[in-house]
């Protein structure tokens, strides 16, 4: 391992990105080449695309890049669409034996590639993990911005330690990756898992831009699913909250019982239908919600117990692994 001129692999998940890839791939290429020319990274550094089972021409585009410029591009393809997190993990572990550092970044040009220079220099200063953090979200819609912010707040409130405004744009050294490799969970939430690896880390700030082409694959529904997955993968706080809530409701019902006994003794027991119905509705709602939360965790245990593979690579361009000998 050479800390002065490390081998860098930029790992880029792509799902149905035929519109944006021809625009952003040359940008990634330029970045790799300029860093190489400055002597910041080794000549074995590459851009590695991970096709997450796209249904459009994404894989053909990646293969073409890898064929015409094998010194810059390589790619792997997942056997089917498994989601962003699994695609990133597949790329990171594929790159792990080939390089000293990996940087994962989205392929749509939203993350500023100029932050890569600073990430690499922080690695040289001794950091094993460098988080790319969005300093502003001016280009996102008000809805996207507020839901995203609520997402981070909810995550932290529920005990899942995540870095505010950091998505999956980050540098991880191969040393830290080897430790991440030991995290065997199938329910992936990398933003929460990586901080648990530890080591010296730092942040790099950048302004988030607009998607250069194509459309977002993270509508509100998917973001909510990601938040629930993140919370339940990283924390058991919701289970504890249920217990606390249960205790509070029990205490309140104790007061209720006192009230019922007093009214009974005072002889005014004819009325009370409304209060009774309200209590039944409320308590059964709480019970159903609690069962749902517990069910989430039972489901997680069930999926984890199957130990299914987290990714299946079906194809590799220009023998990505052989780049090692170049
Ligand atoms: N992506 C993926 N698999 C999926 C969905 C998305 O690999 O099932 C990739 C996508 O190609 C992009 C990145 O994940 O590089 C982030 O997705 P997107 O830009 O759609 O999300 P947003 O930035 O809007 O949150
Ligand atoms: Mg995007």
């Amino acid at each position: 391992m050479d800390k002065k001129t490390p081998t860098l692999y930029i790992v880029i998940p792509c799902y149905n990105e035929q519109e944006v890839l021809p625009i952003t791939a040359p940008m990634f290429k330029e970045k790799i080449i300029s860093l190489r020319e400055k002597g910041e990274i080794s000549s074995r550094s590459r851009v590695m695309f991970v096709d997450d089972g796209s249904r459009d021409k994404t894989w053909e585009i990646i293969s073409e890049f890898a064929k015409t410029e094998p010194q810059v591009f390589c790619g792997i393809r997942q056997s089917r669409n498994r989601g962003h997190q699994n695609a990133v993990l597949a790329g990171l572990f594929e790159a792990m034996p080939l390089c000293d550092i990996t940087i994962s970044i989205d392929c749509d040009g939203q993350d500023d590639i100029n932050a890569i220079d600073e990430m690499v220099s922080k690695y040289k200063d001794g950091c094993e993990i460098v988080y790319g953090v969005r300093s502003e979200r001016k280009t996102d819609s008000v809805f996207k911005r507020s839901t995203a912010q609520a997402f981070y707040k909810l995550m932290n409130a529920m005990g899942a330690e995540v870095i505010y405004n950091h998505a999956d744009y980050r540098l991880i050294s191969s040393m830290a990756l080897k430790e991440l490799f030991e995290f065997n969970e199938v329910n992936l939430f990398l933003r929460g898992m990586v901080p648990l690896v530890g080591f010296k880390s730092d942040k790099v700030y950048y302004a988030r831009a607009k998607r250069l082409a194509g459309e977002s694959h993270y509508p509100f529904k998917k973001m909510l699913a990601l938040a629930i997955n993140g919370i339940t993968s990283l924390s058991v706080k919701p289970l504890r909250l249920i217990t606390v809530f249960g205790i509070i409701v029990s205490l309140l019902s104790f007061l209720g019982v006192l009230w019922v006994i007093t009214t009974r003794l005072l002889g005014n027991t004819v009325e009370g239908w409304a209060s009774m119905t309200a209590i039944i509705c409320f308590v059964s709602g709480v019970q159903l919600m609690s069962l749902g939360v517990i069910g989430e965790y039972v489901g997680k245990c069930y999926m984890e117990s199957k130990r299914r593979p987290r990714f299946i690579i079906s194809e590799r361009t220009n023998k990505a692994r052989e780049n090692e000998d170049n």
Side-chain angles (χ1 to χ4, degrees):
M1 193 172 71
D2 183 359
K3 199 116 196 171
K4 256 180 87 190
T5 47
T7 302
L8 164 69
Y9 265 61
I10 302 182
V11 173
I12 309 171
C14 312
Y15 178 55
N16 292 345
E17 299 285 11
Q18 62 182 14
E19 278 100 36
V20 85
L21 265 185
I23 307 172
T24 51
M27 294 161 59
F28 292 119
K29 174 185 158 189
E30 217 172 281
K31 180 53 63 190
I32 281 268
I33 288 182
S34 88
L35 283 170
R36 270 193 213 161
E37 280 168 359
K38 281 191 240 161
E40 294 289 334
I41 56 173
S42 86
S43 59
R44 280 154 51 174
S45 303
R46 296 281 182 280
V47 174
M48 178 185 272
F49 292 111
V50 182
D51 175 19
D52 188 19
S54 300
R55 272 181 269 266
D56 63 1
K57 296 233 166 332
T58 302
W59 180 245
E60 282 80 356
I61 296 171
I62 294 172
S63 311
E64 192 54 37
F65 281 136
K67 211 163 106 195
T68 48
E69 278 170 300
Q71 299 307 316
V72 178
F73 296 112
C74 63
I76 56 173
R77 183 181 203 186
Q78 293 229 78
S79 61
R80 55 158 293 164
N81 178 244
R82 291 290 301 276
H84 175 229
Q85 299 289 295
N86 300 64
V88 172
L89 199 74
L92 292 180
F93 290 156
E94 179 78 9
M96 187 169 77
L98 309 171
C99 65
D100 304 307
I101 42 178
T102 57
I103 292 180
S104 49
I105 183 169
D106 290 352
C107 71
D108 55 11
Q110 284 193 281
D111 300 322
D112 179 12
I113 53 170
N114 294 316
I116 290 180
D117 301 57
E118 208 184 324
M119 285 184 173
V120 172
S121 86
K122 290 213 187 271
Y123 164 75
K124 291 182 183 174
D125 292 342
C127 292
E128 300 296 331
I129 299 169
V130 185
Y131 301 99
V133 176
R134 295 162 192 172
S135 55
E136 51 170 339
R137 280 177 169 270
K138 280 201 199 113
T139 54
D140 280 350
S141 69
V142 176
F143 180 72
K144 175 97 190 177
R145 191 164 53 215
S146 45
T147 47
Q149 255 145 25
F151 168 85
Y152 291 104
K153 297 228 166 87
L154 179 71
M155 297 292 299
N156 279 314
M158 288 293 151
E161 196 187 311
V162 288
I163 289 164
Y164 191 66
N165 265 343
H166 158 71
D168 284 294
Y169 182 18
R170 72 176 87 75
L171 176 148
I172 311 182
S173 72
S174 58
M175 186 165 107
L177 262 185
K178 279 189 192 110
E179 302 306 328
L180 186 68
F181 194 66
E182 302 296 324
F183 285 52
N184 288 316
E185 59 239 66
V186 182
N187 292 290
L188 292 178
F189 187 67
L190 289 168
R191 285 174 229 187
M193 286 159 68
V194 175
L196 296 176
V197 174
F199 293 114
K200 187 172 174 213
S201 63
D202 207 342
K203 293 175 195 160
V204 163
Y205 294 88
Y206 68 96
R208 182 156 159 101
K210 259 199 161 65
R211 216 174 210 284
L212 293 178
E215 272 172 23
S216 166
H217 303 95
Y218 270 97
F220 181 65
K221 213 173 105 196
K222 254 192 172 173
M223 257 186 39
L224 196 65
L226 187 70
I228 292 174
N229 189 25
I231 294 164
T232 50
S233 302
L234 292 167
S235 149
V236 288
K237 203 162 171 183
L239 291 177
R240 215 163 291 146
L241 283 181
I242 289 180
T243 318
V244 173
F245 201 57
I247 293 172
I248 294 172
V249 172
S250 310
L251 286 177
L252 287 178
S253 45
F254 179 69
L255 292 180
V257 168
L258 284 183
W259 168 67
V260 166
I261 293 173
T262 350
T263 29
R264 174 79 181 86
L265 290 178
L266 292 174
N268 318 320
T269 44
V270 195
E271 291 198 14
W273 176 84
S275 55
M276 200 56 122
T277 318
I279 291 168
I280 292 174
C281 289
F282 175 68
V283 174
S284 43
V286 169
Q287 280 177 341
L288 271 184
M289 192 193 77
S290 310
L291 273 179
V293 175
I294 295 166
E296 260 314 300
Y297 283 92
V298 175
K300 278 270 143 71
C301 293
Y302 176 59
M303 293 314 285
E304 291 291 343
S305 69
K306 290 177 192 274
R307 303 241 59 85
R308 284 184 180 153
R310 295 181 284 186
F311 48 83
I312 298 171
I313 296 170
S314 60
E315 280 171 75
R316 292 182 166 87
T317 60
N318 61 304
K319 299 154 203 137
R321 282 191 183 277
E322 275 180 24
N323 285 344
E324 212 169 0
D325 308 318
N326 286 346

